[in-house]
Amino acid sequence: MNRLSYEVKAVADEPSKIALLYSDYSRLYNEEWKYNTTKLYSAYETLLFGGLKPGIVTEKSIERIVTDGNIKDLALPGVHNISKAALFTIRDFVVSGGKVIILGTDGSVERDDQNAEFSGDALAAANMIRERAVVLDALNDSASKNAFIAAAEDEVGRLVEVVYADSGNRVAETEYTYGFSADGDLLINICDYDLDSRGSKDIEIKVNGKAAGGMTELRSGRTYMDGTVGITPYSPLLIRIDKSEFTLDRDGRIIVPAEGDTAEICTATIKNSDGNVVFIGQSSTPADGRHTISYTLGNFDPNAEYTVNIGGANGYMYSERIK
């Protein structure tokens, strides 16, 4: 995989939009957490198999949910005890528009790091968090896991989905995550962990609900033209979908053009930096190759035209019209 190290790193570096809280104090005081972290692991695995990349925060690093800028959801798997400082951080996250998902209805966020019941401001904060949270059953079966995935993607959205080609159902026990190459291509890492499967299965890759179209599996070099590819257990795939397959809609999402559509906008990729959208534009001099330019989406009007200056490799400035 050395030759694909940049692509692998791009997928690994794609920011998470949902965080899971690992609670030392819940593990200390709650029997279910005492010997392992099954609830946290189950939540982490559920999101990965649902195509949503989770991050992990602890009570010491929980400020990240406020300062990161990418985190939209915070899931609390079996968090019965929590420090007051972490509790107030979660309250601030909720006040600023963040979404909390509580997994398990049995006494979540009820006691502090000394195993004492909350009172005063801490009790008010805990009550507010519980009132505004989405409260789901513990992840004990496929129905509860699907409910968790649905609650998470309702806020963070879904760019990539991998389904069985014959049924259209989401793949089971298959991890898939994505990122973007330096050139703006979409990269998708897929691995089937279904122990009961004995052979290859055809899957279809969808981007914003539409078939991906032409794509290349980078390990083998094979090209697939209809968004369908075969997977076998424990044989990872690294898929590249060229940026020419996508345009931006008015909300700044990458979409696959419908059949017959023309790409009237620059090919593009979203970069999570200061809320900017990074367009990949071709300079007027072919020898200069492609250059990356930044443009803040703001109130983007798909019917308007925008001109953005592109810095060329030789110091010249080019103009790119975004229509």
Side-chain angles (χ1 to χ4, degrees):
M1 294 295 287
N2 286 344
R3 65 185 175 85
L4 299 174
S5 59
Y6 289 104
E7 287 82 0
V8 172
K9 185 176 186 300
V11 173
D13 288 348
E14 183 67 17
S16 302
K17 294 181 180 179
I18 179 169
L20 305 175
L21 176 61
Y22 168 77
S23 170
D24 269 327
Y25 301 113
S26 293
R27 183 172 182 267
L28 176 63
Y29 293 116
N30 190 279
E31 286 294 328
E32 292 183 61
W33 282 71
K34 187 164 287 186
Y35 300 107
N36 55 54
T37 55
T38 53
K39 290 188 175 183
L40 179 71
Y41 177 82
S42 181
Y44 188 87
E45 180 185 67
T46 297
L47 291 175
L48 279 181
F49 287 173
L52 301 173
K53 181 180 180 181
I56 301 289
V57 294
T58 67
E59 280 141 322
K60 292 183 178 179
S61 66
I62 199 168
E63 285 290 337
R64 174 187 161 199
I65 66 173
V66 177
T67 61
D68 184 283
N70 296 304
I71 302 298
K72 307 298 183 184
D73 289 354
L74 174 68
L76 309 179
V79 177
H80 299 269
N81 297 74
I82 189 171
S83 69
K84 291 180 181 178
L87 181 76
F88 292 139
T89 298
I90 297 174
R91 176 200 61 190
D92 295 343
F93 174 70
V94 172
V95 169
S96 65
K99 178 179 179 178
V100 170
I101 302 173
I102 293 176
L103 300 174
T105 58
D106 49 344
S108 295
V109 197
E110 280 195 348
R111 293 176 176 268
D112 65 15
D113 51 2
Q114 302 299 315
N115 205 27
E117 292 184 353
F118 289 123
S119 61
D121 291 344
L123 178 59
N127 286 338
M128 186 271 278
I129 292 168
R130 286 192 293 264
E131 288 170 2
R132 298 195 187 183
V134 175
V135 181
L136 302 174
D137 292 332
L139 304 176
N140 297 320
D141 52 30
S142 59
S144 59
K145 292 177 180 180
N146 287 335
F148 178 34
I149 294 171
E153 69 182 358
D154 182 57
E155 185 68 28
V156 305
R158 174 175 296 281
L159 176 63
V160 176
E161 185 172 23
V162 181
V163 300
Y164 292 121
D166 56 355
S167 67
N169 295 327
R170 183 183 296 125
V171 292
E173 297 187 49
T174 300
E175 173 188 338
Y176 55 102
T177 54
Y178 68 86
F180 296 94
S181 72
D183 291 330
D185 296 332
L186 178 60
L187 304 168
I188 308 170
N189 182 60
I190 306 172
C191 190
D192 178 7
Y193 293 105
D194 187 355
L195 294 174
D196 296 326
S197 177
R198 293 292 183 268
S200 177
K201 294 170 287 191
D202 286 337
I203 60 172
E204 183 180 40
I205 298 175
K206 295 185 176 182
V207 182
N208 269 355
K210 299 181 181 180
M215 59 190 185
T216 302
E217 202 290 299
L218 296 178
R219 297 178 74 223
S220 65
R222 292 186 61 184
T223 299
Y224 302 86
M225 299 309 298
D226 61 355
T228 301
V229 61
I231 58 170
T232 54
Y234 294 92
S235 297
L237 304 176
L238 185 57
I239 302 293
R240 181 183 67 204
I241 301 175
D242 191 88
K243 54 187 168 290
S244 62
E245 295 284 337
F246 306 102
T247 60
L248 284 179
D249 68 8
R250 65 179 302 142
D251 295 318
R253 297 173 301 177
I254 293 179
I255 61 173
V256 178
E259 186 174 354
D261 285 355
T262 57
E264 294 182 336
I265 297 175
C266 280
T267 54
T269 182
I270 297 173
K271 297 291 186 181
N272 294 304
S273 175
D274 301 325
N276 286 348
V277 174
V278 177
F279 294 86
I280 308 298
Q282 180 73 49
S283 73
S284 57
T285 306
D288 290 333
R290 291 185 179 271
H291 309 295
T292 301
I293 58 174
S294 294
Y295 174 73
T296 303
L297 193 63
N299 295 318
F300 181 74
D301 182 354
N303 298 315
E305 294 184 1
Y306 299 87
T307 299
V308 180
N309 290 326
I310 308 172
N314 56 6
Y316 290 101
M317 298 297 291
Y318 303 97
S319 291
E320 182 74 17
R321 188 174 65 180
I322 302 167
K323 182 178 179 182

